[in-house]
Amino acid sequence: MRYVFNNEVSNYLEIYLHKLREEIRRIWLAKLSTIHIGYDNKYHGETVEIDIILNNIIYEHLDKSELKVTIISEDDSESQSVNIKDEVYLLIDPIDGTHNLLMGYPAYTTSIAVYKNDRYIMGWVYDIPRDIIYKASLGEGSYIQSIYTSKRIYTSPSFQLNDLRVSFHRAKNNQYTEVQNKIINEANKVRISSCSSLDICLIASGVLHAFLDLSFMGHERCVDIAAAKLILEESGGYIMTRDGNSYNILSPTDSLFFEKKAIIAVSSKSTGDTILELLRI
């Protein structure tokens, strides 16, 4: 395995989180890969047992590390310090796409964003079913990593709607239904995963061009996409709100688990301009 980051914190976590990936993979093989058998379709967004299991695995793994961090996790009632020092924070979503996992749809991730000195310096997103890591370090680019290799990734620009490969969080009888229908009818390809961190990483790696949240009030939380946001930015893309303004994530606190916003993630300015024009219909 070739590790790529030079930043001291990013380099350490790049190596250490690859070992975390091994532990998550063992749980996936032992339990998660067949957890959907007998699923009763009663999930409504609450924290479930597997969220807690993965959350505990992450804590236990990081507690053994030499790096001193404070962990803020979606599946904990309050933040916990793990050998706190140097104001390094990890914002963690143990599973983005819990419903997908429970029903056996292979689109869910573990997501970790690293914050230090008033900015996010590293993003790490583990695509659990495919055993693929997306990662970025501030100023050092974005990479896709398998168990054998790491490769630099870049976004793919697109200029017209009929060129776009798009994913979205669907509109439900609101003012964006017309936009949704136009995308379905005219875009090159439409893929819906219901896992925003994964969709954003797919934009970062050139697979998709855009992700739109077309829900009425906004569906995406900062904890869901903080790591993926840095990965996208380091590969050439960006995230904005539906009015075209920059989407910024504040310092990691428990409030990031609750506030929801409607976002648009795009591969380039040309793609962003196409989407904003589309939203004006």
Side-chain angles (χ1 to χ4, degrees), residues 120 222 229 233 239-241 245-250 261:
Y120 288 91
C222 294
K229 179 177 183 288
E233 290 170 349
I239 297 179
M240 58 184 172
T241 58
N245 292 325
S246 296
Y247 174 74
N248 297 311
I249 298 179
L250 303 178
K261 289 187 178 181

Side-chain angles (χ1 to χ4, degrees), residues 24 27-28 30-33 35 43 46-58 75 93-95 97-103 108 110 128:
I24 296 174
I27 291 295
W28 186 86
K31 186 171 184 176
L32 301 188
S33 60
I35 199 173
Y43 177 75
E46 68 277 9
T47 297
V48 296
E49 179 188 8
I50 196 60
D51 291 307
I52 302 302
I53 289 173
L54 278 186
N55 189 69
N56 290 341
I57 287 173
I58 293 169
D75 293 315
D93 187 356
I95 302 179
T98 302
H99 201 178
N100 286 344
L101 168 61
L102 292 175
M103 68 181 186
Y108 44 91
T110 295
I128 300 173

Side-chain angles (χ1 to χ4, degrees), residues 2-228:
R2 182 173 68 93
Y3 298 106
V4 296
F5 298 142
N6 294 314
N7 176 279
E8 182 179 2
V9 173
S10 297
N11 178 259
Y12 181 88
L13 285 172
E14 178 185 18
I15 297 170
Y16 207 77
L17 292 178
H18 187 69
K19 297 175 183 176
L20 173 62
R21 167 231 152 240
E22 295 173 358
E23 296 189 29
I24 296 174
R25 188 64 179 173
R26 280 195 291 270
I27 291 295
W28 186 86
L29 291 170
K31 186 171 184 176
L32 301 188
S33 60
T34 57
I35 199 173
H36 62 284
I37 305 301
Y39 171 59
D40 59 9
N41 202 33
K42 292 182 179 179
Y43 177 75
H44 300 292
E46 68 277 9
T47 297
V48 296
E49 179 188 8
I50 196 60
D51 291 307
I52 302 302
I53 289 173
L54 278 186
N55 189 69
N56 290 341
I57 287 173
I58 293 169
Y59 271 112
E60 290 168 6
H61 183 76
L62 290 169
D63 197 31
K64 301 172 187 176
S65 76
E66 296 177 1
L67 184 68
K68 317 306 181 189
V69 300
T70 296
I71 296 176
I72 301 176
S73 173
E74 176 189 20
D75 293 315
D76 255 318
S77 58
E78 57 184 45
S79 61
Q80 296 188 32
S81 296
V82 180
N83 300 325
I84 182 169
K85 183 182 178 183
D86 295 333
E87 301 298 326
V88 177
Y89 295 84
L90 304 186
L91 180 62
I92 295 176
D93 187 356
I95 302 179
D96 180 25
T98 302
H99 201 178
N100 286 344
L101 168 61
L102 292 175
M103 68 181 186
Y105 187 77
Y108 44 91
T109 70
T110 295
S111 180
I112 300 177
V114 183
Y115 184 88
K116 183 180 182 182
N117 295 333
D118 299 322
R119 56 186 179 178
Y120 288 91
I121 65 166
M122 183 182 177
W124 187 88
V125 175
Y126 179 37
D127 179 347
I128 300 173
R130 293 197 300 151
D131 196 20
I132 293 291
I133 293 169
Y134 296 92
K135 59 186 181 180
S137 179
L138 185 65
E140 297 192 78
S142 297
Y143 292 80
I144 187 171
Q145 174 183 319
S146 71
I147 61 173
Y148 298 110
T149 188
S150 295
K151 292 186 177 180
R152 185 80 180 262
I153 55 175
Y154 300 92
T155 59
S156 175
S158 184
F159 298 92
Q160 300 179 49
L161 178 58
N162 60 11
D163 295 326
L164 292 181
R165 301 187 294 271
V166 185
S167 180
F168 55 77
H169 185 82
R170 64 193 175 100
K172 297 181 180 179
N173 300 318
N174 62 39
Q175 69 266 41
Y176 297 107
T177 302
E178 184 178 354
V179 174
Q180 178 175 278
N181 292 338
K182 188 173 181 65
I183 291 172
I184 292 171
N185 291 326
E186 298 184 24
N188 186 353
K189 300 290 182 183
V190 176
R191 299 289 185 266
I192 299 177
S193 75
S194 296
C195 180
S196 54
S197 60
L198 179 58
D199 285 336
I200 293 169
C201 287
L202 290 173
I203 299 172
S205 59
V207 177
L208 297 174
H209 295 112
F211 166 78
L212 293 80
D213 181 357
L214 297 176
S215 61
F216 179 63
M217 296 297 294
H219 183 76
E220 306 308 325
R221 301 170 306 158
C222 294
V223 65
D224 297 325
I225 61 172

